[in-house]
Amino acid sequence: MAIATIAYTAAAGGMALALSTTWLALRNRTRFSKARETLKADLTAKDLMLRELDAATTAFDEAFLAVEGDTVRLVWGDDTLQQCAEALGIKAADGDIAPQVVRALGDTSAEAADGLKELISQGKWCRFEVFAETPKGLTGDGQQKNAGLTVIVEGKSSGATAWIRLAIAGARASLSSGPFAQMAEHLPAPCWICARDGRVVWANAAWLKAVEATNLEQAVQANLTLDRNVDGLVVEALEQRTRREGFRWLTVGGQRRAFQVIAEPLNEAYVCAYVLDVTEAEESREALKRHAKAHDETLDALEDAVAIFGAEKQLTFHNRAFEKLWDLEPAWLAERPTHGEWLDRLRQKRRLPETSDYSGFKTRESEFFGLTHTADDEMWSLPDGRSLRVVRQPHPLGGLLILFSDKTGELKLKAQFNALIQVQKSTLDQLNDAVSVYGSDGRLRLRNLAFDKFWNLQAEDITAVMDFADLAELCLPLVHDRGFWAELKARVTDTDPLARAPQLGEVKISDGRLAQWRTQPLPDGATLVAFSDITATRQLEKAIDARDEALNESVRLKRDFVANVSYELRTPLTTIVGYADLLQAQTNDNPKQKAFLDSIQSAAQELARSIDDVLDMAQIDAGEMSITRTDVRLLDIVAEVGTRLADTFKARGVHFDYSGVKETGVVRVDAKRLGQCLEHLLGNAIRNATSGGSVRLDARKDEDNLILEVAYTGRGIPYHVQAHIFDRYIGRERGGPGLGLALVKALVELHEGWITLESEPNEGASFKIHLPGQSRAGQSVPEMAPSEIASTVSPKASTEAKSSDADDGTVASVA
């Protein structure tokens, strides 16, 4: 390129650079001029704001302190700081007063000290108030003794600097002065103000009286409070900065009173607390609780089931009968189920009446909650057969009260009662007597068909509750005596228990009949009156009397005939016995004649005994026989009977065993008649015992009874004969009247005893005599030895006596 070109290019470049630099300089100058004007305007505005803030801070009593480490300096508010220092008792001549004011503020309370410490060391925000007494001259000569300043202290941190703002709320009177404080002084309820540390800074007269202090300084020094729990509630309200309420029973003036405690925070530093006396309300509430409890206990003691559902249809109360009636779990009921849930539970347990539309049933039951009056009673028939009466009524406190009464037993009794009435009426209708029942008011309650027939009355003539007097008018045609009917009515309507006694009488009826009337008081106060036609009865009685007289005459003739016949038989029998004895003595070793004579003597003795039995039975029938009980030794009676039967035992080859020596001893009986009984029983046993068999007589005492058992081995007594064995004139196999056992039965009954029989075919028989009245028998007669019994029973036979040492007595055995 040419040099000219290069020079031209360089000149052009330089010119462009100069122009660019000039334009840039002009542009920067313009921008800097605008920025200067903006800063100048901003400075003017800030200066104005600063002057306004200065004027504003000057208008308020405030001071700002900056704390950096241990250095405290005043930033603003020299006058306010000076005023606070003087109020806190710091003099200006004491040097820099800013640190002293901070220390004095921290010394006013623990709350202030903790707040300043946390602000300076940790940078935490704090705010509290300090009430400082004001010296005279600060607020004028007229300042009261308790005048002072309330200093609001607020602290915040910014970086490493802690800023403290002191603001004077104004020179004012103390808390105890002013219209509101004076009003609080006259409140009857204790009221007080506490600082953040719980210290009481003001209290009214009622509070001082409650804590028994003359002034606040004394209460603070003695640390007097209403109650520690109340103090805790106040501190809790201050810490949480929210209203707190509580209830306490306190002793004030020697009386136990109920108070509602209220703590209301005034600001971050103070809380106002006061109590309201609610003793009367609490006593009323407790009385209401006791009344409700007594009411619940009363309902709980009822046999009827009671349930109360509240306005929300939840179960609020039930008694024990309700649990038992529906068989519901107490834990489930304690959960307060709703009315619908209760119905569903009963349906699950099949406790509700059977219905095809359960939804409709449940809806109808829910509609009862809108009742304004008691609903009509309703009957529920449950699947288990119970019948319940259901009563529903609105509850005074809202909701529904339901009462269930189990009427199953009542309905059953009513049905049984109605059935019983019908049975009684049907029974009375079957009677021939004319029966009527009258109430204590004299009105007819019940009558049978025979009543209408007896008095010739028609059913339409008698009303259901006809009076006795009206009914008597209908009966006058048959019984004309009005006095009789008046007396009968008096017995029906008389309420005197002594006069209400059964009565009996007879009355003549005009148609010729003879009627017997009877009155019978009934337990329910009613009276039964019955009329019986005794005309035929009286006629029959006359016939029976005549026949009885004839029968007695025939019995007398029979007794006389038996006595005469017996007497007539004894004379030839005595002759036969006498000649037989004579021939027996004259017989010389002629066995055949001797056998004939023995047979004659035996038959004569048997006939004599039969005649004696007939005479005894006739005497018993005539009621002329009596027994005489004496203390006798039973062994003597047995020995005497054994002596008479010894030859018979020997002839039949029968063994005789007797036991019961020690058990018997002395007995209280008629010895002659008891011996007669034993002789007949032993004789019967000998006749029926097999040859070579045995006959046993056992005697023992069972408390007051003497038991004599006669048993033998042999053919026994057939079952069809046992029922009549003690009847008279039962024929024996060899002929003749069988009076022996019948006489035994009669003689035992004269002793007030009884006899029993036990027998099996081909196994023998056992007769037991039971004689009572043995507890009075004496013990003075000695017992007989077993050997004596054996020798007495069979003096000619070989005798073997053996005794046993067992406790059940000694046994004698004779062959």
Side-chain angles (χ1 to χ4, degrees):
M1 182 179 292
I3 296 175
T5 304
I6 295 173
Y8 175 78
T9 302
M15 184 62 71
L17 178 62
L19 290 174
S20 299
T21 303
T22 301
W23 180 81
L24 181 61
L26 290 174
R27 184 180 177 185
N28 286 337
R29 182 178 179 180
T30 303
R31 185 165 57 83
F32 289 152
S33 295
K34 291 181 179 180
R36 185 185 65 180
E37 293 296 332
T38 302
L39 291 175
K40 184 177 180 181
D42 185 55
L43 181 61
T44 302
K46 291 186 178 295
D47 182 58
L48 179 60
M49 184 182 295
L50 182 61
R51 287 196 298 269
E52 290 177 353
L53 290 175
D54 185 30
T57 53
T58 304
F60 293 95
D61 294 332
E62 292 185 351
F64 291 91
L65 302 177
V67 181
E68 297 177 352
D70 296 334
T71 303
V72 180
R73 58 185 177 86
L74 175 64
V75 177
W76 185 268
D78 181 66
D79 294 338
T80 301
L81 182 62
Q82 184 68 31
Q83 190 176 359
C84 291
E86 291 180 1
L88 294 172
I90 301 172
K91 297 180 180 180
D94 293 341
D96 190 3
I97 61 175
Q100 299 181 46
V101 170
V102 174
R103 285 194 295 270
L105 291 174
D107 294 338
T108 55
S109 65
E111 177 190 5
D114 293 340
L116 292 175
K117 182 178 179 180
E118 293 177 353
L119 172 65
I120 297 171
S121 61
Q122 302 178 17
K124 289 185 178 181
W125 173 89
C126 69
R127 188 181 187 281
F128 55 90
E129 295 181 3
V130 175
F131 178 76
E133 297 291 340
T134 303
K136 285 186 178 182
L138 183 61
T139 58
D141 296 337
Q143 181 71 30
Q144 298 179 1
K145 183 179 180 180
N146 292 335
L149 294 176
T150 299
V151 181
I152 299 175
V153 182
E154 183 177 1
K156 292 183 179 180
S157 63
S158 176
T161 303
W163 296 88
I164 299 176
R165 183 177 71 90
L166 304 179
I168 297 177
R172 58 181 177 80
S174 64
L175 293 173
S176 60
S177 63
F180 291 103
Q182 293 176 5
M183 179 189 69
E185 285 289 339
H186 293 85
L187 290 177
C191 179
W192 69 102
I193 297 177
C194 290
R196 189 167 185 176
D197 58 353
R199 179 172 52 88
V200 180
V201 297
W202 176 86
N204 66 350
W207 186 88
L208 295 175
K209 182 179 179 181
V211 299
E212 299 179 354
T214 56
N215 51 58
L216 182 60
E217 289 76 9
Q218 179 186 358
V220 173
Q221 292 177 2
N223 197 21
L224 299 178
T225 60
L226 285 177
D227 185 76
R228 298 301 178 189
N229 292 326
V230 174
D231 296 343
L233 185 68
V234 172
V235 174
E236 184 179 350
L238 188 59
E239 291 178 350
Q240 298 180 3
R241 297 181 184 178
T242 182
R243 178 189 176 97
R244 301 293 294 170
E245 294 184 6
F247 175 81
R248 293 293 297 168
W249 280 91
L250 305 176
T251 302
V252 177
Q255 295 182 352
R256 185 74 170 169
R257 310 289 294 178
F259 291 96
Q260 182 180 6
V261 184
I262 301 174
E264 185 73 46
L266 300 177
N267 48 42
E268 292 83 354
Y270 296 100
V271 60
C272 175
Y274 57 94
V275 295
L276 301 177
D277 192 341
V278 293
T279 305
E280 294 183 0
E282 285 300 317
E283 290 178 350
S284 300
R285 186 179 291 108
E286 291 297 327
L288 180 60
K289 288 182 179 179
R290 290 193 298 270
H291 180 75
K293 183 179 180 182
H295 181 263
D296 292 347
E297 290 177 352
T298 302
L299 293 179
D300 202 37
L302 294 179
E303 293 183 359
D304 294 340
V306 179
I308 299 175
F309 291 89
E312 298 80 10
K313 297 186 179 181
Q314 281 189 315
L315 182 65
T316 59
F317 172 80
H318 67 280
N319 60 357
R320 287 194 297 267
F322 183 83
E323 295 181 9
K324 184 178 179 181
L325 175 66
W326 300 115
D327 191 20
L328 296 175
E329 299 80 5
W332 184 79
L333 292 173
E335 296 176 358
R336 301 181 61 185
T338 62
H339 183 263
E341 292 173 346
W342 167 68
L343 291 177
D344 293 339
R345 190 64 172 265
L346 294 185
R347 189 191 183 199
Q348 293 174 2
K349 290 177 170 288
R350 297 193 72 244
R351 296 286 194 273
L352 292 177
E354 296 290 352
T355 176
S356 58
D357 184 11
Y358 172 70
S359 178
F361 173 82
K362 187 175 180 180
T363 302
R364 289 193 299 272
E365 289 297 317
S366 299
E367 292 175 354
F368 285 109
F369 279 88
L371 286 175
T372 58
H373 60 279
T374 302
D376 296 336
D377 294 356
E378 185 178 341
M379 293 298 296
W380 282 7
S381 297
L382 304 186
D384 58 3
R386 291 182 296 174
S387 297
L388 303 181
R389 172 174 166 262
V390 185
V391 179
R392 306 175 185 88
Q393 64 182 26
H395 195 266
L397 301 180
L400 183 66
L401 183 145
I402 308 178
L403 185 142
F404 299 93
S405 301
D406 192 346
K407 297 296 182 181
T408 308
E410 181 179 341
L411 294 178
K412 185 181 294 184
L413 288 176
K414 186 178 293 185
Q416 293 176 353
F417 176 77
N418 293 334
L420 180 62
I421 292 297
Q422 294 298 326
V423 170
Q424 289 178 347
K425 191 175 186 312
S426 300
T427 303
L428 293 179
D429 288 341
Q430 302 304 316
L431 297 178
N432 294 325
D433 294 347
V435 179
S436 56
V437 178
Y438 302 89
S440 58
D441 56 356
R443 294 186 177 275
L444 179 65
R445 290 187 180 179
L446 185 66
R447 75 183 194 280
N448 63 351
L449 297 177
F451 181 84
D452 297 351
K453 183 178 180 181
F454 188 90
W455 297 107
N456 297 330
L457 300 177
Q458 301 297 325
E460 57 270 13
D461 297 337
I462 305 176
T463 60
V465 288
M466 195 171 188
D467 187 74
F468 185 89
D470 298 334
L471 189 62
E473 290 291 336
L474 299 178
C475 300
L476 278 177
L478 294 179
V479 177
H480 309 309
D481 188 0
R482 292 183 178 272
F484 167 75
W485 294 110
E487 181 182 357
L488 195 60
K489 181 179 180 180
R491 299 184 185 280
V492 170
T493 58
D494 195 349
T495 57
D496 186 3
L498 299 178
R500 288 180 56 78
Q503 299 292 334
L504 181 68
E506 296 181 0
V507 61
K508 189 72 174 179
I509 301 179
S510 59
D511 59 3
R513 291 178 295 168
L514 181 64
Q516 182 184 66
W517 59 268
R518 300 183 301 278
T519 62
Q520 177 64 47
L522 301 179
D524 60 350
T527 303
L528 182 144
V529 180
F531 288 89
S532 304
D533 186 355
I534 60 173
T535 305
T537 303
R538 287 290 181 263
Q539 295 174 355
L540 182 60
E541 287 177 355
K542 291 180 181 180
I544 291 176
D545 291 341
R547 184 172 181 178
D548 185 60
E549 184 178 353
L551 181 61
N552 290 335
E553 180 65 20
S554 65
V555 170
R556 184 184 63 79
L557 293 175
K558 181 183 70 174
R559 185 173 65 252
D560 294 342
F561 172 76
V562 171
N564 291 332
V565 170
S566 299
Y567 178 77
E568 296 295 334
L569 289 176
R570 279 185 179 278
T571 301
L573 181 61
T574 302
T575 302
I576 293 173
V577 172
Y579 280 111
D581 292 340
L582 180 62
L583 292 174
Q584 182 76 23
Q586 295 177 356
T587 299
N588 297 326
D589 299 335
N590 189 341
K592 190 173 183 179
Q593 291 182 357
K594 188 174 181 178
F596 291 157
L597 291 175
D598 290 341
S599 299
I600 294 173
Q601 288 179 334
S602 176
Q605 292 176 358
E606 184 69 25
L607 180 60
R609 281 195 297 270
S610 298
I611 293 173
D612 291 340
D613 291 344
V614 171
L615 291 176
D616 289 341
M617 187 61 70
Q619 193 175 7
I620 291 174
D621 291 340
E624 297 176 354
M625 178 178 288
S626 61
I627 62 172
T628 302
R629 296 191 183 194
T630 58
D631 290 346
V632 297
R633 198 167 57 174
L634 179 61
L635 298 181
D636 294 340
I637 301 175
V638 175
E640 182 179 353
V641 173
T643 300
R644 291 197 295 267
L645 298 177
D647 293 340
T648 307
F649 277 111
K650 181 179 179 181
R652 295 282 298 177
V654 176
H655 295 273
F656 175 72
D657 295 329
Y658 172 77
S659 62
V661 177
K662 289 185 178 180
E663 293 88 335
T664 55
V666 176
V667 295
R668 192 171 184 81
V669 296
D670 187 319
K672 177 181 177 182
R673 299 305 176 186
L674 181 59
Q676 193 174 355
C677 292
L678 293 178
E679 184 175 355
H680 280 293
L681 290 177
L682 292 174
N684 178 75
I686 294 172
R687 286 190 298 271
N688 292 281
T690 57
S691 180
S694 64
V695 176
R696 176 173 55 86
L697 173 60
D698 178 41
R700 67 180 184 277
K701 284 185 178 181
D702 183 8
E703 295 181 355
D704 189 48
N705 293 325
L706 172 65
I707 302 176
L708 300 172
E709 180 181 5
V710 176
Y712 64 87
T713 58
R715 60 186 177 179
I717 301 174
Y719 291 119
H720 68 279
V721 178
Q722 293 182 21
H724 307 283
I725 194 66
F726 295 107
D727 292 347
R728 302 181 186 182
Y729 309 114
I730 296 298
R732 298 172 183 164
E733 290 182 354
R734 56 180 181 171
L739 283 179
L741 295 180
L743 182 61
V744 170
K745 180 175 181 292
L747 293 176
V748 170
E749 290 176 350
L750 286 177
H751 281 80
E752 300 179 354
W754 65 95
I755 184 170
T756 60
L757 166 65
E758 295 179 4
S759 177
E760 292 288 339
N762 301 322
E763 294 184 7
S766 171
F767 294 86
K768 289 184 180 180
I769 297 176
H770 299 260
L771 301 177
Q774 303 302 315
S775 59
R776 295 173 294 177
Q779 302 293 333
S780 59
V781 182
E783 296 182 355
M784 181 182 291
S787 58
E788 298 181 31
I789 303 174
S791 59
T792 303
V793 172
S794 181
K796 299 179 181 180
S798 60
T799 304
E800 178 184 2
K802 53 185 177 179
S803 60
S804 174
D805 296 333
D807 293 338
D808 58 351
T810 303
V811 179
S813 176
V814 179

